[in-house]
Amino acid sequence: MKVSLFVLALLSIFNLAIPEDCDKSDYVYKYTQCDVNGDRWVVSVPKDGCQPRKDDITVPRKGTKCSFTCEKGTYLDIASQQCKHCPAGTYSRGSAAHFDDWDTLPNGFSASTESIAAYESDAPSNCSSSEWTPKSTYIAVTPSDCISKLTFSASLMKPGTVQFEYQYNYGDTVMFHVSVQNDQCQSANDQESSLWPDKTSGSWKSDSLKLKSGYNVITWSVFGYDTTESASPILLRKVHVTNVAYASDCAKCPAGSYSSEGSEFCSECPINTYSSKGAEVCERCDHDTQYAGYGSTECKTRPACSEEDYYHSMKPCEDGKTANVYTWIQPQICNPNLSGSIPLPPESEPIDCMACNSGMTLDPATKRCTYCPPNFYSDGTVCKPCGTNTAPDYSYSFMRWNSIPDVIGTACIPFTEKECSNDTKWLAFGDHIESHFARGESAYLVLQVKVAGFRTQHVMGEGESSSVGQLKMTFETQCEGFCQIVILSDDSGKEDVISAWEYQTKETNFVYNFKKNTSFTLSVAFQNSGWMLRDSLNNSTMKISSLEVTNTINGGASICHTCPKGKGQNGCIPCPDGQYIDVNTTSCVSCPPRTVVPSHNAYGVESCKPCGRGLTVFKGRSCISTGVFTDDLGRTFDLRNLTATYKFMQGSLLFTSSGTQYYHGFNISLFGEPDKSFVICENNVTQNASDGASFSHFNAHPDQPDITSAINEPKRLVAKICRSTLVPASEDGKSVMTTQSTSLGDFLVEIVRNESVTTIPDSKWSTYTDIYNASGFDTAEVDNDIQVHFKTDSGTHACPNGRHTLISLRCDQDAKGQGEIKLPPSCPDATCNGCVFHFLWLTRAACPVCRKEDFDMVLGMCENGYQTVHYINSGKCLVPDSLQGIKEQKKCIMLLAALPIAFQIAIPSVLGLVLLCFFVACILWRKNQKLAYRYMKLVENSQTGEVELPGADSCALEEDEHEDGDSVAIRGGKGARFFKKLTNKIKKDDAFESAVLNERMPLT
């Protein structure tokens, strides 16, 4: 019995170990790898857990070509080799890979960050906050000084494309690049494998790149500099790659969506509906007790209503009256019938409307404020005609907000695919307008004003650019979490960010000067909660009290100005260059010396602006340098050789941690007449729907560029000094792509020498020596260098005082041509802080012009009583044409240095002996004269006749009497002692002193 049981157990185990035979439903059909001819075969593969039977083994059969694909909404049934429609609740992109669900990073994608050692610091940056992050319906990255990469790899059956939508709101501080490489990380070296997307200014834009058959690596790269931690992100969504592979089945719709048969994509469930995964339709919630937002996977219970569920607004003015009204925030999620719910407040009593804005009047027909007719003005009530020889001062001025004026456009730009709610809008409250967002809405609310132009002509000179008009805006924000204000304008020919603010902002009075007279669109955009927040309700708001654009061609006028030179088509005829309008006499008056009027029709002497040191007045409208500079010591420098053309300077090579190379190129122009001394930095990436991106070499226009046309070209930047980022577009480096052009100097501030204190506003650098030390330049010649200071017209977030460029010109007699420009040793990219740029230019032009007293004189041979005087340059100055080869004829002058050496020694010796003898003779003569004088006295005192004189004991000197008058006193030194001995010797040999007269010796 035990043996039987054991045998049965063994048989049982043996039967369990043997798999069952496969039937037809246990087989799946798959394609083999494609061969070199593009063919593939269909084979049947059994599922796990069954044993193929000999009779069921089928011979592989030839399948469809590898290039064969099915249409969208279908899939390839390999068994039948036919394309079939996807069933309801599923979808298919055909042969394409589509990614619009970004709850997590989809398969095939990878994200990475790498630090880059920028010029500000050699320390690596913290890149943890700069990663590409999925955000439900899109993926986002915050730019920083790290390179953030999003990569997708795919193998294409045949050439295809990658398409995507993006938001990119930055100017020159962020690089956004899309590239395609093969499996060896090599680019295709053509124009179709690289793309620099254009800015979107808050809206979604679509772009694409062509892909080659085979393996493709698609990379979205972002790198920023001069950015803040709260900077707006770059958003990416709807990535679509064609011809990736065949679709062997259809994907189920995610929860919160649905689809019908043959669908290419799934639709989001509407409000108050929901669905589970693979749903054909969405189920409805109970409207009274439940609610659900867009794309919901379940219904939620409606809570009791509170004050946060409604908002306040003003009714439109009717017959001069308005009222406060209250509206439920949509979509409404609260239940007003529940116990404890707060009811909707009733409409208030009528309130008087405010008057219209200046230059407007109330239209009786439309009950709205409209502008007065041309040549009329108003204070907001009645339009009045301007007087004789006066013209209206037009502007767009909005300080009273009964409603959104007709000239102001409004828009809502959502971050998600669905449209903005009707409740997301600007609301008028009489003394201000205020933003309002619907529940769960994350978007930009935009105001736009289209300006046809200004009444003042643009003046471009070498001094600070003139202002043709101003933007004045007063605003404040109340933010819960992150919010952002962005002001944009396309007055430069491209849409640029004028200024931006993040987080809560107190009441701010913002002023911006427009420099170019052209038609443009001004945009003010406010972002409420930002891309990082997913709140169901956000109370962040922006209030605008006033908005004004001055000096416009049309609009409204509050006053009419007297025209001192008469009226023209666009108002008053402007005063001549260099003159302002006197506010008392309304006549044109010339500005004081060395001052200019940078704009026409300027009122008051305060409109005259002084020129900087080293600059001169040009036609009364701008300050320029002709290239001839005289310092405070009277030394003159001729720099005109440096104004003949521009100078290009290549910055140091910069590398990412992975070896990616790029560098900066600098275009420099120093002096010259207005409109002829500017350079143009071009972004040579152009976008074409059919050809993709195209590249050209770095370009500039040194020979009188067409500034007028260049100003209106979005790819060109006009400045005195500009910088572009240069990226090699090919492996051999022959093709260079330029982007992110930035102005480093729009006008010349001053030219100085022998000056220690700098005018560059930086707390760390008060003197030029400080700047030299920071840059790493030798400070020995700082006082002799010529300092040329440039500045940009406006500031940035990182440089609120604008960018400044200092070009130090140093005398170098050995420099050839225009000389050599050197980058700072301590800051190889020309800047140590990103705001102040410093270059040292070694050139002969920086040497002073020679004066006659700077030459060494050389005398020629004496011929016929005349000799030639040659003037030789000492080598420390430049000889002007007027002093080239200068020489003079003079009468011969015997110069000791011209005689032979023997004569040079003998002549001084002989002269010395002659002088010595002459001195001794003088002493003897004087001695003799005194003795003769005494003798004559004796004769005069003698009696007449022969008289015997008494004997003399001495020669007329008493015992205590000294012969002071007869001696020569010589003081000090060996010479004095020598002459004293000589005098004593003479006294001893004096015959008069040694002879004694006898008493009876006759005198005759």
Side-chain angles (χ1 to χ4, degrees):
M1 183 66 178
K2 291 182 180 180
V3 174
S4 299
L5 292 174
F6 178 74
V7 171
L8 289 174
L10 288 176
L11 290 174
S12 187
I13 295 173
F14 180 76
N15 289 334
L16 289 174
I18 298 175
E20 297 181 356
D21 292 336
C22 297
D23 55 26
K24 291 183 178 182
S25 62
D26 293 326
Y27 288 91
V28 294
Y29 296 92
K30 294 185 178 182
Y31 280 125
T32 62
Q33 293 291 331
C34 297
D35 57 25
V36 293
N37 298 320
D39 295 328
R40 54 188 175 183
W41 300 81
V42 179
V43 295
S44 57
V45 180
K47 298 179 181 179
D48 295 336
C50 69
Q51 179 65 34
R53 292 181 300 183
K54 184 177 181 179
D55 297 340
D56 293 338
I57 297 177
T58 58
V59 178
R61 66 183 189 274
K62 193 172 183 178
T64 59
K65 283 284 188 180
C66 291
S67 59
F68 177 82
T69 58
C70 291
E71 296 295 329
K72 300 174 182 178
T74 63
Y75 70 99
L76 177 61
D77 182 23
I78 300 179
S80 63
Q81 297 288 292
Q82 293 179 351
C83 295
K84 296 184 177 180
H85 288 289
C86 290
T90 64
Y91 70 100
S92 170
R93 297 287 183 174
S95 61
H98 187 81
F99 306 94
D100 55 5
D101 185 4
W102 297 94
D103 286 324
T104 58
L105 202 63
N107 291 331
F109 281 87
S110 62
S112 63
T113 59
E114 51 183 304
S115 64
I116 179 170
Y119 46 71
E120 292 85 357
S121 173
D122 293 332
S125 303
N126 182 8
C127 301
S128 59
S129 61
S130 303
E131 297 179 351
W132 285 91
T133 306
K135 295 292 176 180
S136 183
T137 59
Y138 53 87
I139 188 170
V141 62
T142 301
S144 68
D145 56 350
C146 300
I147 294 184
S148 305
K149 294 183 178 181
L150 178 67
T151 303
F152 176 71
S153 305
S155 182
L156 271 63
M157 300 296 159
K158 59 182 179 180
T161 59
V162 55
Q163 299 173 340
F164 57 92
E165 292 185 2
Y166 69 96
Q167 280 195 22
Y168 169 41
N169 302 321
Y170 282 92
D172 56 12
T173 61
V174 174
M175 296 171 59
F176 182 29
H177 184 222
V178 187
S179 62
V180 178
Q181 297 174 318
N182 58 20
D183 56 352
Q184 300 298 320
C185 295
Q186 296 175 338
S187 61
N189 290 336
D190 56 28
Q191 301 175 359
E192 299 175 350
S193 63
S194 182
L195 175 68
W196 296 83
D198 292 328
K199 291 184 298 182
T200 63
S201 303
S203 60
W204 289 98
K205 283 189 177 181
S206 178
D207 226 323
S208 65
L209 273 176
K210 293 184 178 180
L211 306 177
K212 299 183 183 299
S213 59
Y215 197 78
N216 290 265
V217 179
I218 309 165
T219 304
W220 291 265
S221 301
V222 174
F223 165 57
Y225 51 92
D226 290 352
T227 57
T228 60
E229 294 181 356
S230 58
S232 293
I234 292 177
L235 312 181
L236 183 70
R237 72 178 187 185
K238 292 187 177 180
V239 178
H240 186 81
V241 183
T242 62
N243 299 329
V244 174
Y246 63 89
S248 59
D249 56 8
C250 298
K252 291 185 177 181
C253 289
S257 63
Y258 69 99
S259 71
S260 57
E261 182 180 350
S263 295
E264 175 189 354
F265 55 85
C266 299
S267 301
E268 192 177 42
C269 287
I271 291 179
N272 293 329
T273 63
Y274 74 99
S275 73
S276 56
K277 186 174 182 178
E280 300 180 15
V281 294
C282 296
E283 303 293 333
R284 291 187 175 276
C285 301
D286 184 285
H287 183 271
D288 295 330
T289 60
Q290 294 178 322
Y291 76 96
Y294 289 103
S296 295
T297 60
E298 61 178 354
C299 295
K300 298 180 179 180
T301 303
R302 292 183 181 272
C305 294
S306 66
E307 293 180 351
E308 294 184 348
D309 291 304
Y310 62 84
Y311 66 94
H312 162 230
S313 62
M314 303 288 290
K315 289 182 63 176
C317 283
E318 293 184 5
D319 299 328
K321 297 293 183 180
T322 182
N324 294 314
V325 293
Y326 301 87
T327 309
W328 293 115
I329 296 176
Q330 299 298 321
Q332 184 180 349
I333 66 171
C334 67
N335 186 352
N337 298 321
L338 289 179
S339 176
S341 286
I342 296 178
L344 194 66
E347 182 178 314
S348 70
E349 294 294 326
I351 303 172
D352 291 335
C353 294
M354 300 187 73
C356 295
N357 286 295
S358 298
M360 290 184 168
T361 186
L362 187 64
D363 187 345
T366 62
K367 304 296 184 182
R368 293 181 63 86
C369 294
T370 59
Y371 282 114
C372 294
N375 293 317
F376 279 73
Y377 72 100
S378 82
D379 59 357
T381 56
V382 180
C383 294
K384 301 176 183 179
C386 290
T388 305
N389 202 33
T390 64
D393 183 17
Y394 288 126
S395 67
Y396 289 110
S397 180
F398 309 105
M399 299 181 182
R400 296 184 282 269
W401 305 89
N402 294 319
S403 61
I404 305 295
D406 295 336
V407 295
I408 295 182
T410 61
C412 177
I413 303 173
F415 290 150
T416 58
E417 188 174 357
K418 66 177 183 294
E419 297 295 328
C420 289
S421 168
N422 292 332
D423 270 358
T424 300
K425 55 188 176 183
W426 292 96
L427 302 175
F429 289 94
D431 60 344
H432 71 277
I433 58 173
E434 186 175 318
S435 64
H436 178 261
F437 293 89
R439 188 183 301 277
E441 194 93 78
S442 184
Y444 275 110
L445 262 181
V446 182
L447 290 175
Q448 288 187 328
V449 181
K450 292 186 178 181
V451 180
F454 298 99
R455 286 175 284 123
T456 299
Q457 293 300 315
H458 168 62
V459 177
M460 177 174 285
E462 199 163 313
E464 185 171 2
S465 299
S466 62
S467 172
V468 296
Q470 284 188 325
L471 165 66
K472 301 178 181 179
M473 188 174 75
T474 302
F475 67 91
E476 63 178 296
T477 59
Q478 296 288 335
C479 297
E480 292 185 359
F482 177 78
C483 67
Q484 184 185 49
I485 305 168
V486 180
I487 302 178
L488 308 100
S489 173
D490 58 0
D491 63 303
S492 63
K494 57 180 180 178
E495 194 162 42
D496 290 324
V497 175
I498 294 176
S499 191
W501 298 262
E502 291 91 16
Y503 293 100
Q504 184 162 315
T505 306
K506 296 181 180 179
E507 185 174 87
T508 301
N509 296 313
F510 175 71
V511 178
Y512 175 77
N513 293 311
F514 295 101
K515 303 294 184 179
K516 302 172 181 64
N517 189 358
T518 182
S519 60
F520 66 95
T521 299
L522 175 71
S523 301
V524 180
F526 175 64
Q527 176 188 352
N528 62 342
S529 60
W531 62 285
M532 294 183 180
L533 302 177
R534 305 273 302 270
D535 300 337
S536 59
L537 183 63
N538 186 276
N539 293 324
S540 298
T541 59
M542 175 183 182
K543 296 180 180 180
I544 299 178
S545 302
S546 64
L547 177 65
E548 184 178 11
V549 181
T550 66
N551 199 38
T552 55
I553 292 177
N554 45 32
S558 60
I559 58 173
C560 295
H561 286 305
T562 301
C563 300
K565 294 294 182 179
K567 293 177 63 174
Q569 183 178 0
N570 291 329
C572 292
I573 297 175
C575 289
D577 291 335
Q579 296 186 4
Y580 66 94
I581 301 175
D582 188 285
V583 293
N584 297 319
T585 64
T586 64
S587 60
C588 295
V589 180
S590 296
C591 281
R594 286 193 50 78
T595 62
V596 296
V597 179
S599 61
H600 296 290
N601 287 336
Y603 284 82
V605 69
E606 62 274 7
S607 302
C608 301
K609 305 301 181 183
C611 288
R613 292 177 293 178
L615 305 183
T616 58
V617 176
F618 180 77
K619 295 182 178 180
R621 68 181 186 182
S622 59
C623 302
I624 73 165
S625 171
T626 60
V628 178
F629 166 67
T630 302
D631 66 7
D632 294 338
L633 301 178
R635 298 308 304 258
T636 301
F637 301 83
D638 190 350
L639 307 173
R640 288 174 293 184
N641 182 45
L642 305 181
T643 66
T645 181
Y646 77 100
K647 195 76 173 178
F648 172 72
M649 184 67 186
Q650 178 177 323
S652 301
L653 292 178
L654 302 175
F655 296 90
T656 67
S657 59
S658 62
T660 303
Q661 172 185 314
Y662 71 97
Y663 56 93
H664 288 127
F666 302 90
N667 252 356
I668 300 173
S669 173
L670 286 184
F671 320 119
E673 292 185 9
D675 301 341
K676 296 181 181 179
S677 58
F678 290 83
V679 291
I680 301 174
C681 285
E682 290 189 80
N683 295 336
N684 62 8
V685 184
T686 57
Q687 192 61 33
N688 187 291
S690 58
D691 298 333
S694 61
F695 313 111
S696 63
H697 291 282
F698 180 75
N699 194 14
H701 298 259
D703 301 324
Q704 298 184 10
D706 184 2
I707 301 298
T708 303
S709 60
I711 286 174
N712 296 320
E713 295 185 23
K715 298 295 182 180
R716 292 185 174 185
L717 183 141
V718 180
K720 297 288 297 181
I721 302 175
C722 55
R723 180 190 69 182
S724 291
T725 301
L726 285 77
V727 182
S730 61
E731 296 295 333
D732 56 12
K734 294 182 178 179
S735 179
V736 178
M737 180 171 50
T738 65
T739 184
Q740 309 298 338
S741 294
T742 305
S743 172
L744 304 183
D746 295 318
F747 63 92
L748 188 56
V749 178
E750 64 177 5
I751 307 173
V752 296
R753 185 175 179 265
N754 297 311
E755 182 67 39
S756 60
V757 180
T758 177
T759 55
I760 297 176
D762 194 294
S763 58
K764 296 181 180 178
W765 305 327
S766 60
T767 66
Y768 287 107
T769 302
D770 295 337
I771 298 178
Y772 275 56
N773 287 329
S775 300
F777 287 131
D778 182 18
T779 60
E781 296 292 327
V782 63
D783 290 335
N784 296 324
D785 292 344
I786 302 173
Q787 312 296 346
V788 185
H789 178 194
F790 294 90
K791 183 183 180 298
T792 57
D793 271 330
S794 57
T796 64
H797 297 298
C799 307
N801 294 319
R803 291 188 175 95
H804 295 258
T805 298
L806 181 67
I807 299 180
S808 300
L809 304 177
R810 177 169 295 180
C811 173
D812 186 355
Q813 288 282 1
D814 299 326
K816 297 180 180 180
Q818 291 186 327
E820 177 188 5
I821 299 179
K822 290 188 175 183
L823 293 170
S826 301
C827 314
D829 206 35
T831 179
C832 298
N833 64 357
C835 299
V836 178
F837 294 77
H838 192 193
F839 301 90
L840 180 63
W841 195 332
L842 304 178
T843 174
R844 293 184 74 249
C847 300
V849 176
C850 293
R851 301 170 296 184
K852 195 172 181 178
E853 54 266 32
D854 295 324
F855 289 86
D856 295 329
M857 290 191 304
V858 178
L859 298 177
M861 297 296 294
C862 185
E863 297 180 358
N864 301 323
Y866 287 90
Q867 60 185 163
T868 303
V869 181
H870 300 273
Y871 290 88
I872 306 301
N873 182 14
S874 61
K876 298 180 181 179
C877 58
L878 297 180
V879 182
D881 294 339
S882 60
L883 296 179
Q884 288 287 350
I886 184 173
K887 56 185 179 181
E888 296 177 350
Q889 293 288 329
K890 292 185 177 181
K891 288 185 178 181
C892 293
I893 300 175
M894 181 62 69
L895 298 177
L896 181 63
L899 298 176
I901 187 66
F903 288 94
Q904 294 181 24
I905 297 174
I907 289 175
S909 301
V910 172
L911 290 175
L913 290 174
V914 171
L915 290 174
L916 180 61
C917 293
F918 176 77
F919 182 74
V920 172
C922 290
I923 294 174
L924 294 175
W925 178 82
R926 182 176 179 81
K927 184 71 174 178
N928 185 62
Q929 287 294 101
K930 287 186 175 293
L931 289 175
Y933 173 76
R934 292 190 180 96
Y935 178 75
M936 291 301 298
K937 285 290 186 182
L938 290 174
V939 174
E940 291 176 359
N941 295 330
S942 65
Q943 299 178 358
T944 58
E946 293 186 359
V947 178
E948 291 185 358
L949 297 175
D953 295 333
S954 63
C955 279
L957 293 175
E958 297 296 333
E959 183 176 342
D960 296 332
E961 185 180 0
H962 296 285
E963 193 179 4
D964 295 335
D966 300 335
S967 63
V968 177
I970 300 176
R971 297 180 180 178
K974 294 180 179 179
R977 290 193 298 271
F978 169 75
F979 284 108
K980 185 175 183 181
K981 290 180 180 180
L982 181 63
T983 304
N984 294 334
K985 175 67 177 174
I986 294 173
K987 289 181 178 180
K988 289 179 180 180
D989 296 338
D990 193 335
F992 290 97
E993 286 188 354
S994 61
V996 180
L997 295 177
N998 295 323
E999 295 179 357
R1000 297 195 180 267
M1001 185 176 291
L1003 297 175
T1004 57

